[in-house]
Amino acid sequence: MSHGIRRLAFCSALAAGTLALAPTADAVTPTTATISFDCGSYGSGSATLTASQSGTNATIDVSTSAITAPISVGANSVKSTLTLTNNGSGAVTFTGNSNPAIPAGSPVSTGPLKGTVASGDSLVATSLKVVVFGITATCNATSTQSPGPFVF
């Protein structure tokens, strides 16, 4: 075997070994789910939850028709806490105050809400607390998250 061919074979083997040792990407399934919330005097409606994961860090974006902005709300001014049950018991919270600007009369969108997960966590949303201009709206789930739990 010539010197150039041996070098090519070595480099190819090295590259293959590197690919085999590369960490796998974490993936939450499903990535999107819907749920209905009752927010008392602030309204009720459905919400779309969009989840992503990177290692033990996870985020969930929330877009809901359950709460509409009575006046225009500036970007990054909605404080939100999404509470989920883990494997049927115990609570996990995702929090944040990142939101797009929300025009008056428009549905509230918030996120990414950040949380920490472990491999095998199976999370189902149970409540959403939204604080806008110092006013707190607490929304409780009135339907089952569909499709089922977020599995990390």
Side-chain angles (χ1 to χ4, degrees):
M1 193 182 277
S2 77
H3 181 65
I5 293 175
R6 277 186 286 197
R7 183 180 300 159
L8 180 60
F10 174 76
C11 289
S12 295
L14 183 62
T18 301
L19 288 175
L21 297 176
T24 58
D26 296 306
V28 56
T29 57
T31 56
T32 302
T34 58
I35 192 166
S36 293
F37 285 114
D38 179 359
C39 305
S41 61
Y42 296 103
S44 62
S46 64
T48 300
L49 310 175
T50 305
S52 62
Q53 176 186 8
S54 178
T56 60
N57 298 314
T59 61
I60 299 178
D61 290 323
V62 180
S63 178
T64 181
S65 62
I67 303 173
T68 56
I71 60 174
S72 294
V73 177
N76 304 318
S77 60
V78 175
K79 183 177 180 186
S80 302
T81 302
L82 179 67
T83 302
L84 305 99
T85 59
N86 185 7
N87 295 309
S89 65
V92 175
T93 58
F94 281 67
T95 60
N97 65 339
S98 178
N99 62 279
I102 305 168
S106 296
V108 171
S109 293
T110 185
L113 304 179
K114 298 177 182 181
T116 302
V117 296
S119 180
D121 280 356
S122 180
L123 305 180
V124 175
T126 57
S127 68
L128 174 67
K129 182 172 78 170
V130 178
V131 181
V132 181
F133 302 125
I135 299 169
T136 302
T138 301
C139 307
N140 295 305
T142 58
S143 72
T144 304
Q145 183 178 306
S146 179
F150 291 118
V151 179
F152 294 89

